[in-house]
Amino acid sequence: MTDNTGFAVAIDGPVGVGKSSAAKRLAGDLGMLYIDTGAMYRAVALYNMRRGTDKKDAEAVAASLSDIEIAFTPANGILLNGEDVSADIRSQAIADYTSMIAAYEPVRAKLTQQQRRLAENGHVIMDGRDIASQVLPWAQVKIYLDADPRIRAERRLRELQAKGQPAEYARVWEETLIRDERDKNRVHAPLVRTDDAIYIDTSHMDLDEMVAEITRYVKGRLYV
Ligand code: DC
């Protein structure tokens, strides 16, 4: 696992904290590969939701894994068995389904293995919940982003509205709390802040400020 020549930035944090927007920008600025691990969990959820699998049926979800192949397009799109599902994975229904199935150990084992492979020899920025703790414990830079849950719910709401999806604050607030609870309290690879991660509270930061702050840490490790 540690036998690699890569440089990795691990970005973890709860829902709506701005991880993906910051990681994507940073990867573009620094010429690194961006890997959105949440999209991979969402793709597994989409496959199962389309087939009508009960999200509480851990065995059925585990059995589906051998039929699922996930890949990324060069533009950070996600392919589920060759089909570009980048837009389909972004609904609230998928978010809810995903937070259930992401708790299942076989799902995590499959995706963690693929994520480690993707990071082996390149320069990557990977975001998720368990990147520093489980997927890439060797990452040279580990960032934990956090923000007030109310602000995170507001950001999620704006994000959904910008995509033209029906959303109201009360619902998004409730979903944020439920997903936080599931992400932090599941048995396998819960969201944790590791001791060696840099903690950044983004409650009062815009995207530019967030990117500038993380860039300082990454450049510190790249050029020393
Ligand atoms: O970051 P996101 O909202 O796209 O993540 C979707 C779900 O997947 C969320 O409930 C947390 C889960 N997830 C996870 O368990 N581990 C990861 N590395 C990334 C996402």
Side-chain angles (χ1 to χ4, degrees):
M1 188 174 78
T2 49
D3 182 23
N4 67 71
T5 54
F7 179 90
V9 179
I11 303 183
D12 292 297
V15 57
V17 80
K19 290 186 305 287
S20 335
S21 315
K24 213 178 290 174
R25 268 270 300 276
L26 206 66
D29 291 355
L30 300 172
M32 295 172 77
L33 179 68
Y34 169 55
I35 299 166
D36 176 357
T37 64
M40 299 169 78
Y41 285 93
R42 285 168 183 263
V44 171
L46 181 67
Y47 180 89
N48 279 281
M49 204 166 115
R50 280 178 173 174
R51 308 183 110 210
T53 309
D54 181 350
K55 65 186 172 191
K56 295 199 185 92
D57 190 344
E59 277 176 27
V61 175
S64 76
L65 293 170
S66 54
D67 300 326
I68 296 176
E69 203 177 300
I70 293 168
F72 287 98
T73 69
N76 295 321
I78 185 138
L79 302 175
L80 168 61
N81 293 334
E83 176 194 350
D84 191 327
V85 292
S86 311
D88 308 61
I89 58 166
R90 295 295 160 195
S91 71
Q92 273 294 97
I94 282 288
D96 179 55
Y97 198 105
T98 309
S99 80
M100 281 291 294
I101 62 108
Y104 301 150
E105 201 275 334
V107 175
R108 304 209 69 84
K110 175 182 166 107
L111 297 187
T112 299
Q113 191 188 44
Q114 186 176 359
Q115 289 154 11
R116 286 182 182 147
R117 261 201 323 270
L118 286 168
E120 241 160 41
N121 300 308
H123 278 39
V124 301
I125 300 197
M126 191 177 282
D127 80 352
R129 304 295 190 287
D130 60 338
I131 310 307
S133 61
Q134 304 285 335
V135 182
L136 308 175
W138 56 265
Q140 288 84 353
V141 183
K142 297 179 179 178
I143 308 277
Y144 187 92
L145 296 181
D146 206 357
D148 183 307
R150 279 182 187 76
I151 292 177
R152 292 192 280 115
E154 280 160 22
R155 284 181 188 159
R156 278 288 300 153
L157 182 69
R158 280 199 299 270
E159 219 175 80
L160 289 168
Q161 287 171 340
K163 284 178 191 145
Q165 292 185 18
E168 57 185 64
Y169 183 77
R171 171 89 200 282
V172 176
W173 167 243
E174 205 175 299
E175 290 281 344
T176 302
L177 296 183
I178 292 172
R179 288 174 62 196
D180 275 2
E181 163 74 19
R182 283 187 195 146
D183 288 352
K184 289 180 180 168
N185 296 312
R186 65 175 175 236
V187 174
H188 305 291
L191 169 64
V192 284
R193 175 185 161 195
T194 58
D195 290 341
D196 53 356
I198 296 150
Y199 180 86
I200 304 175
D201 184 339
T202 72
S203 299
H204 303 291
M205 285 182 174
D206 64 19
L207 183 60
D208 287 343
E209 289 167 325
M210 234 189 283
V211 171
E213 180 81 355
I214 303 171
T215 303
R216 273 195 319 120
Y217 292 110
V218 176
K219 287 199 166 161
R221 291 307 302 262
L222 268 175
Y223 301 127
V224 285

Short mmCIF file of all heavy atoms in Angstrom, two decimals, residues 19 37-38 41-42 90 98-99 102 108 128-131 179 183 186, ligand 1:
data_model
loop_
_atom_site.label_atom_id
_atom_site.label_comp_id
_atom_site.label_asym_id
_atom_site.label_seq_id
_atom_site.Cartn_x
_atom_site.Cartn_y
_atom_site.Cartn_z
N LYS A 19 -15.72 20.72 -0.08
CA LYS A 19 -14.59 19.86 -0.45
C LYS A 19 -14.39 19.75 -1.95
O LYS A 19 -13.31 19.98 -2.46
CB LYS A 19 -14.81 18.42 0.04
CG LYS A 19 -14.73 18.20 1.49
CD LYS A 19 -14.80 16.72 1.83
CE LYS A 19 -16.02 16.01 1.27
NZ LYS A 19 -17.29 16.29 1.93
N THR A 37 -14.23 10.78 -4.54
CA THR A 37 -14.62 9.43 -4.09
C THR A 37 -16.12 9.36 -3.78
O THR A 37 -16.72 8.30 -3.89
CB THR A 37 -13.81 8.97 -2.86
OG1 THR A 37 -14.12 9.85 -1.75
CG2 THR A 37 -12.33 8.97 -3.13
N GLY A 38 -16.72 10.49 -3.42
CA GLY A 38 -18.16 10.50 -3.17
C GLY A 38 -18.92 10.10 -4.43
O GLY A 38 -19.93 9.39 -4.37
N TYR A 41 -19.14 6.32 -4.68
CA TYR A 41 -20.19 5.75 -3.83
C TYR A 41 -21.57 6.03 -4.44
O TYR A 41 -22.46 5.19 -4.41
CB TYR A 41 -20.09 6.30 -2.40
CG TYR A 41 -18.94 5.68 -1.64
CD1 TYR A 41 -17.68 6.29 -1.63
CD2 TYR A 41 -19.08 4.45 -0.99
CE1 TYR A 41 -16.61 5.70 -0.96
CE2 TYR A 41 -18.02 3.87 -0.34
CZ TYR A 41 -16.78 4.49 -0.33
OH TYR A 41 -15.72 3.90 0.31
N ARG A 42 -21.71 7.23 -4.99
CA ARG A 42 -22.99 7.59 -5.62
C ARG A 42 -23.28 6.70 -6.83
O ARG A 42 -24.44 6.35 -7.09
CB ARG A 42 -22.97 9.07 -6.04
CG ARG A 42 -23.12 10.03 -4.89
CD ARG A 42 -22.81 11.46 -5.30
NE ARG A 42 -22.89 12.39 -4.20
CZ ARG A 42 -23.95 13.14 -3.91
NH1 ARG A 42 -25.02 13.10 -4.68
NH2 ARG A 42 -23.95 13.95 -2.88
N ARG A 90 -26.40 13.23 -8.88
CA ARG A 90 -26.42 14.42 -8.02
C ARG A 90 -27.76 14.73 -7.35
O ARG A 90 -27.90 15.76 -6.71
CB ARG A 90 -25.95 15.65 -8.82
CG ARG A 90 -24.51 15.59 -9.26
CD ARG A 90 -23.54 15.60 -8.08
NE ARG A 90 -22.23 15.07 -8.45
CZ ARG A 90 -21.30 14.69 -7.58
NH1 ARG A 90 -21.52 14.78 -6.28
NH2 ARG A 90 -20.15 14.20 -7.99
N THR A 98 -27.13 6.84 -1.06
CA THR A 98 -25.68 6.63 -0.96
C THR A 98 -25.22 6.58 0.48
O THR A 98 -24.38 5.75 0.84
CB THR A 98 -24.91 7.77 -1.69
OG1 THR A 98 -25.43 7.91 -3.00
CG2 THR A 98 -23.43 7.47 -1.76
N SER A 99 -25.76 7.45 1.32
CA SER A 99 -25.26 7.48 2.69
C SER A 99 -25.60 6.19 3.42
O SER A 99 -24.93 5.82 4.37
CB SER A 99 -25.72 8.74 3.43
OG SER A 99 -27.02 8.61 3.91
N ALA A 102 -23.04 3.40 1.71
CA ALA A 102 -21.62 3.67 1.98
C ALA A 102 -21.20 3.08 3.32
O ALA A 102 -20.01 3.04 3.64
CB ALA A 102 -21.37 5.18 1.96
N ARG A 108 -17.25 -0.49 0.68
CA ARG A 108 -16.06 0.30 1.03
C ARG A 108 -14.78 -0.41 0.58
O ARG A 108 -13.85 0.22 0.09
CB ARG A 108 -16.01 0.57 2.54
CG ARG A 108 -17.24 1.26 3.10
CD ARG A 108 -16.89 2.11 4.31
NE ARG A 108 -16.10 3.26 3.93
CZ ARG A 108 -16.60 4.39 3.48
NH1 ARG A 108 -17.90 4.58 3.37
NH2 ARG A 108 -15.80 5.37 3.13
N GLY A 128 -13.14 13.05 0.25
CA GLY A 128 -14.11 12.07 0.74
C GLY A 128 -14.31 12.20 2.23
O GLY A 128 -14.34 13.31 2.78
N ARG A 129 -14.47 11.04 2.89
CA ARG A 129 -14.70 11.03 4.34
C ARG A 129 -13.58 10.30 5.08
O ARG A 129 -13.34 10.56 6.24
CB ARG A 129 -16.02 10.30 4.66
CG ARG A 129 -17.25 10.85 3.97
CD ARG A 129 -17.56 12.23 4.45
NE ARG A 129 -18.85 12.72 3.99
CZ ARG A 129 -19.14 13.09 2.75
NH1 ARG A 129 -18.24 13.00 1.80
NH2 ARG A 129 -20.34 13.55 2.44
N ASP A 130 -12.94 9.35 4.37
CA ASP A 130 -11.99 8.44 5.02
C ASP A 130 -10.66 8.42 4.29
O ASP A 130 -9.94 7.43 4.34
CB ASP A 130 -12.58 7.03 5.03
CG ASP A 130 -12.84 6.51 3.62
OD1 ASP A 130 -12.98 7.34 2.69
OD2 ASP A 130 -12.88 5.28 3.42
N ILE A 131 -10.36 9.49 3.57
CA ILE A 131 -9.14 9.46 2.73
C ILE A 131 -7.89 9.45 3.61
O ILE A 131 -7.00 8.61 3.43
CB ILE A 131 -9.12 10.64 1.73
CG1 ILE A 131 -10.45 10.75 0.97
CG2 ILE A 131 -7.94 10.49 0.76
CD1 ILE A 131 -10.91 9.49 0.29
N ARG A 179 -27.23 12.81 7.28
CA ARG A 179 -26.01 12.32 6.62
C ARG A 179 -24.78 12.49 7.51
O ARG A 179 -23.92 11.63 7.55
CB ARG A 179 -25.84 13.00 5.26
CG ARG A 179 -26.87 12.48 4.25
CD ARG A 179 -26.81 13.23 2.96
NE ARG A 179 -25.53 13.07 2.30
CZ ARG A 179 -25.11 13.87 1.30
NH1 ARG A 179 -25.87 14.86 0.90
NH2 ARG A 179 -23.97 13.65 0.73
N ASP A 183 -22.49 9.40 8.48
CA ASP A 183 -21.06 9.42 8.11
C ASP A 183 -20.16 9.28 9.33
O ASP A 183 -19.12 8.62 9.28
CB ASP A 183 -20.71 10.75 7.41
CG ASP A 183 -21.28 10.84 6.00
OD1 ASP A 183 -21.81 9.84 5.50
OD2 ASP A 183 -21.19 11.93 5.41
N ARG A 186 -20.96 5.45 11.54
CA ARG A 186 -20.98 4.09 10.98
C ARG A 186 -19.77 3.31 11.51
O ARG A 186 -18.76 3.89 11.92
CB ARG A 186 -21.01 4.13 9.46
CG ARG A 186 -19.78 4.72 8.86
CD ARG A 186 -19.80 4.64 7.33
NE ARG A 186 -18.65 5.32 6.81
CZ ARG A 186 -18.69 6.31 5.93
NH1 ARG A 186 -19.84 6.72 5.44
NH2 ARG A 186 -17.59 6.88 5.52
O1 DC B 1 -19.31 13.76 -0.78
P1 DC B 1 -20.62 13.20 -1.33
O2 DC B 1 -21.82 13.92 -0.81
O3 DC B 1 -20.64 13.07 -2.81
O4 DC B 1 -20.69 11.71 -0.73
C1 DC B 1 -21.80 10.89 -0.96
C2 DC B 1 -21.95 9.87 0.18
O5 DC B 1 -20.87 8.94 0.12
C3 DC B 1 -21.95 10.46 1.59
O6 DC B 1 -23.05 9.95 2.31
C4 DC B 1 -20.69 9.97 2.21
C5 DC B 1 -20.25 8.80 1.38
N1 DC B 1 -18.80 8.78 1.20
C6 DC B 1 -18.09 7.94 2.01
O7 DC B 1 -18.66 7.25 2.83
N2 DC B 1 -16.75 7.85 1.85
C7 DC B 1 -16.11 8.61 0.96
N3 DC B 1 -14.79 8.50 0.83
C8 DC B 1 -16.83 9.50 0.14
C9 DC B 1 -18.19 9.57 0.29
#
